[in-house]
Amino acid sequence: MPAITAEGLTKVYGSRGQVVRALDGLDLTVEEGTVLGLLGPNGAGKTTTVRVLATLLRPDSGRATVLGHDVVKDAQRLRQEIGLSGQYAAVDENLTAAENLWMFGRLYQLPSATARQRADELLEQFALTDAKDRVVKTYSGGMRRRLDLASALIGRPRLLFLDEPTTGLDPRSRFGMWEVIRELVRTGATLLLTTQYLEEADALADVIAVVDRGKIIARGTADQLKSQVGGERVEIVVRRPEDLAAAREVLGRQSRGEVTVDEHTRRLTAPAEGGTQQLVEVIRVLAEAGVPLDDVGLRRPTLDDVFLSLTGHAAEDAAATPTTDEPAPAGRTS
Amino acid sequence: MTATAPPPGRTGGSTVSDTLVVTWRNLKRIPRIPELAVFAILQSVMFVLLFAFVFGGAIAVEGGNYREYLMPGIFAQTLAFASATTTIGITDDMQKGLVDRFRSLPMARSAFLTGRTIADVAYNAGILIVLMLSGLAVGWRVRDGVVEFLAGFGIALLFAYAMSWVGVFVGQLVPTVEVGQQVAFTVVFPITFLSNAFVPLESLPGWLQPFAEWNPVSTLTAAMRELFGNPSPPAGSSFAAEQPVLMTVIWCVVFVAIFAPLAVRRYRDTSK
Ligand SMILES: Nc1ncnc2c1ncn2[C@@H]1O[C@H](COP(=O)(O)OP(=O)(O)OP(=O)(O)O)[C@@H](O)[C@H]1O
Ligand SMILES: [Mg+2]
């Protein structure tokens, strides 16, 4: 039986005549013991999905079962088996780390001594032992994030929700957080994590579900998604704007896919089926044509590329283009 | 019970122990944000100074000393303002996402709010004691017995408790701490001024008198004046004016009966 099944979840937020479809018929399944990465841009509905599955928000329609419990009807029973680390570190700033963990442990219905012992273990595991008696106010963003994750683990949940666990962390803390998450996965927990970075979903998730405007628009392993996008891309930045046309022509000849051009940054990219060989070829031809370059390289597809290829629109902030109450213009479905 | 699994079949969490844990949390926070208590007290002390030494000369109180008359009003005003502190505290917890964490835990649904209101009573008891000591310094006295004094103290705390339930309800409705602050002050300020806290009721315009007589801040102030044996000029012939102690208790019961269920219902509501 899957750990999570969601069918046709919808959630509409309305305020001042603006209607935002945060979830618009979202379907999802996550197998027990796997890591699902929910990937999407700002406003796609990631947090809303997590809030519904973690019993914090009742969907307008649709149903969801987590670990065999209905998220609406069986919410209280489900809460004993899940852990949630939200998008913003939710710990009490005026308590110390040790106090926060003890409190959450108690509220998770652990006996006091057990809660204290579990808190010590987690402080150790998350490298917070030295700071455990300092109030959280004095913590750095990375430390708060780690404490928040530790709080989510206090009751040894079978299923963990992590909403953008590394947003706002510097690269070093980010990799540290990845290690912590990998460690969790090794212990067999089921994990649903959201992220805006394909790279992160790639590094941590078994399966990636791409969410856009409240729907899952693609699902697969990182490799499957990338091959859908066309794998690696060659990317060049020409020095002079007047060379854009020539460079485009060269890239177009070397590549079977479509060339994208950003005139503002003088950047061109195209699928690089031929890998390094193709890159070398592009550089050679451009050099012969006398087109000076500022930058050149092969890069792996980003969330933007995945989006562009899946939806035909860039991964813009969905919140910036809410659907409104007014009748939609002809031809536009909302 | 083992560390790894919650006891089977337990779904609600234990109301008493969850409430105590949340109370503990709120009490722990008090000394860590000393500014809150310090400014609450300073604000009241400013009012004491302002009214006792600046306006006081112009206000005549039948049968006694104005400062003695004033102090119970200051106590009532301070406790009414404490609801603003509660509002802000809850809004802050909501804004920081902390409420989501509590909601995601298998704990008793009412504990998050009840714990806060209980801690607020302890906090307000502390504030009240400091104010009483300041009152003694400016000439306020307790003239009746210990029992009456304790009854007066108790009724003040009952009022604080009721106000705290208003605070936890409003705190969940307002979007940001700044708005919460505005709402609380816009409502509480006029209520405390349209009362007998600073001036005898007969000095208010006639059409305001019924409101002022029934105003819970007035009944609490009059109740404390009565129980502490401070000057308490007759304020009218309504039930509220004649039976301030009883009326205050009724008000408190009504406030709790209305706002506690509303607040808990709002907390449990997951449609937002
Ligand atoms: N409480 C709310 N009231 C009104 N609109 C909301 C509310 N919560 C979310 N929304 C809207 O619902 C949509 C989905 O939001 P959600 O927070 O789920 O996105 P997200 O994928 O988590 O985005 P981000 O990457 O920015 O965290 C957005 O358009 C957002 O503005
Ligand atoms: Mg989000």
Side-chain angles (χ1 to χ4, degrees):
Chain A
M1 192 185 62
I4 300 179
T5 48
E7 289 161 21
L9 294 180
T10 65
K11 181 76 205 176
V12 177
Y13 286 111
S15 65
R16 305 197 182 104
Q18 291 245 310
V19 173
V20 180
R21 280 186 180 277
L23 297 182
D24 191 11
L26 184 130
D27 300 314
L28 191 66
T29 52
V30 181
E31 295 304 324
E32 181 116 38
T34 66
V35 181
L36 179 103
L38 202 57
L39 177 69
N42 286 138
K46 303 181 296 295
T47 298
T48 310
T49 307
V50 167
R51 286 173 55 84
V52 167
L53 296 176
T55 77
L56 297 178
L57 187 68
R58 199 170 52 221
D60 294 338
S61 66
R63 57 187 298 269
T65 321
V66 176
L67 300 172
H69 303 294
D70 186 290
V71 296
V72 177
K73 289 188 214 106
D74 233 356
Q76 194 68 326
R77 212 176 287 268
L78 173 57
R79 292 186 184 114
Q80 299 186 327
E81 301 186 53
I82 56 171
L84 167 67
S85 172
Q87 189 166 352
Y88 306 99
V91 285
D92 192 327
E93 295 199 317
N94 294 301
L95 298 183
T96 66
E99 288 166 348
N100 265 292
L101 290 173
W102 177 81
M103 170 174 72
F104 293 130
R106 288 293 288 131
L107 296 175
Y108 212 92
Q109 311 304 320
L110 301 178
S112 183
T114 314
R116 198 164 299 123
Q117 188 190 333
R118 182 83 185 116
D120 284 339
E121 278 168 38
L122 287 163
L123 289 165
E124 187 73 44
Q125 185 185 343
F126 287 87
L128 290 168
T129 305
D130 292 339
K132 75 182 173 125
D133 293 321
R134 261 165 53 194
V135 286
V136 173
K137 248 191 285 199
T138 65
Y139 278 25
S140 71
M143 292 165 80
R144 278 176 206 226
R145 212 57 246 215
R146 293 208 299 277
L147 177 60
D148 189 73
L149 184 51
S151 309
L153 293 173
I154 193 88
R156 299 182 194 274
R158 280 170 63 201
L159 193 151
L160 193 64
F161 295 103
L162 302 179
D163 196 3
E164 301 196 19
T166 66
T167 299
L169 297 189
D170 65 31
R172 196 168 136 260
S173 322
R174 184 152 196 229
F175 291 128
M177 188 57 95
W178 283 11
E179 262 326 298
V180 168
I181 294 171
R182 288 202 180 102
E183 189 58 43
L184 283 176
V185 174
R186 271 194 282 276
T187 65
T190 307
L191 215 143
L192 188 156
L193 73 94
T194 78
T195 175
Q196 302 187 27
Y197 310 108
L198 180 60
E199 178 203 4
E200 181 161 291
D202 196 355
L204 299 173
D206 300 315
V207 179
I208 297 173
V210 182
V211 55
D212 180 38
R213 297 182 181 176
K215 279 198 194 74
I216 302 291
I217 55 169
R219 186 192 159 93
T221 63
D223 285 339
Q224 286 166 341
L225 288 177
K226 279 188 226 159
S227 66
Q228 217 167 329
V229 179
E232 290 179 311
R233 298 177 75 86
V234 51
E235 177 176 284
I236 62 175
V237 177
V238 298
R239 178 161 307 150
R240 303 180 308 229
E242 59 267 31
D243 288 335
L244 277 168
R248 179 188 198 122
E249 154 94 38
V250 171
L251 277 183
R253 246 184 293 130
Q254 302 279 333
S255 166
R256 256 172 289 140
E258 201 182 321
V259 183
T260 61
V261 182
D262 182 340
E263 294 190 4
H264 185 65
T265 57
R266 306 185 309 281
R267 185 183 307 267
L268 301 91
T269 71
E273 306 88 353
T276 325
Q277 201 47 52
Q278 187 178 340
L279 177 67
V280 172
E281 192 62 18
V282 166
I283 296 174
R284 190 184 63 76
V285 175
L286 285 172
E288 274 172 11
V291 173
L293 300 178
D294 271 352
D295 195 8
V296 59
L298 276 181
R299 74 172 168 74
R300 312 192 341 132
T302 63
L303 174 60
D304 265 315
D305 302 321
V306 174
F307 253 80
L308 206 56
S309 103
L310 289 172
T311 65
H313 71 85
E316 86 259 22
D317 191 339
T321 54
T323 45
T324 60
D325 245 2
E326 294 142 30
R332 193 174 127 208
T333 50
S334 56
Chain B
M1 233 192 273
T2 67
T4 46
R10 269 279 283 291
T11 54
S14 152
T15 309
V16 174
S17 85
D18 290 351
T19 304
L20 287 178
V21 170
V22 178
T23 307
W24 169 87
R25 173 229 171 192
N26 284 297
L27 289 176
K28 272 272 171 192
R29 289 161 53 93
I30 294 171
R32 308 228 172 122
I33 334 171
E35 301 83 2
L36 265 183
V38 168
F39 280 98
I41 291 166
L42 276 184
Q43 186 190 325
S44 303
V45 168
M46 290 307 291
F47 271 97
V48 173
L49 296 178
L50 209 58
F51 278 89
F53 297 104
V54 183
F55 306 139
I59 306 169
V61 178
E62 206 178 306
N65 159 331
Y66 178 66
R67 287 179 212 161
E68 216 176 306
Y69 170 84
L70 172 68
M71 283 317 292
I74 297 284
F75 302 155
Q77 185 202 33
T78 308
L79 297 178
F81 270 108
S83 66
T85 311
T86 309
T87 302
I88 293 164
I90 293 288
T91 310
D92 191 45
D93 286 346
M94 307 257 311
Q95 237 182 328
K96 296 221 169 93
L98 203 55
V99 170
D100 275 354
R101 159 134 292 137
F102 283 101
R103 278 195 180 122
S104 78
L105 291 168
M107 62 188 277
R109 301 276 87 188
S110 59
F112 177 74
L113 302 176
T114 312
R116 167 87 208 197
T117 59
I118 293 174
D120 279 350
V121 170
Y123 168 79
N124 285 314
I127 299 264
L128 202 53
I129 288 170
V130 174
L131 284 181
M132 287 182 162
L133 295 175
S134 338
L136 290 175
V138 298
W140 171 72
R141 292 291 177 269
V142 177
R143 306 214 177 262
D144 285 347
V146 176
V147 177
E148 286 84 356
F149 170 74
L150 290 178
F153 198 79
I155 207 168
L157 293 187
L158 178 66
F159 180 80
Y161 180 71
M163 286 296 106
S164 173
W165 274 111
V166 179
V168 294
F169 176 61
V170 178
Q172 294 182 83
L173 297 184
V174 293
T176 65
V177 169
E178 291 74 18
V179 175
Q181 208 149 6
Q182 290 299 329
V183 169
F185 282 74
T186 321
V187 175
V188 177
F189 249 117
I191 290 180
T192 59
F193 280 105
L194 297 181
S195 78
N196 61 3
F198 304 104
V199 292
L201 283 183
E202 58 263 36
S203 66
L204 291 172
W207 57 276
L208 272 174
Q209 297 228 355
F211 174 84
E213 262 172 47
W214 289 90
N215 181 345
V217 174
S218 294
T219 65
L220 173 66
T221 305
M224 284 191 283
R225 284 179 186 143
E226 188 178 312
L227 292 163
F228 298 150
N230 298 138
S232 184
S237 53
S238 63
F239 175 74
E242 278 173 358
Q243 295 287 342
V245 175
L246 191 55
M247 192 58 225
T248 305
V249 173
I250 294 174
W251 270 130
C252 293
V253 171
V254 168
F255 274 112
V256 175
I258 293 174
F259 286 97
L262 279 180
V264 173
R265 210 176 78 177
R266 176 71 193 193
Y267 179 82
R268 298 170 64 120
D269 179 7
T270 52
S271 68
K272 292 279 176 330

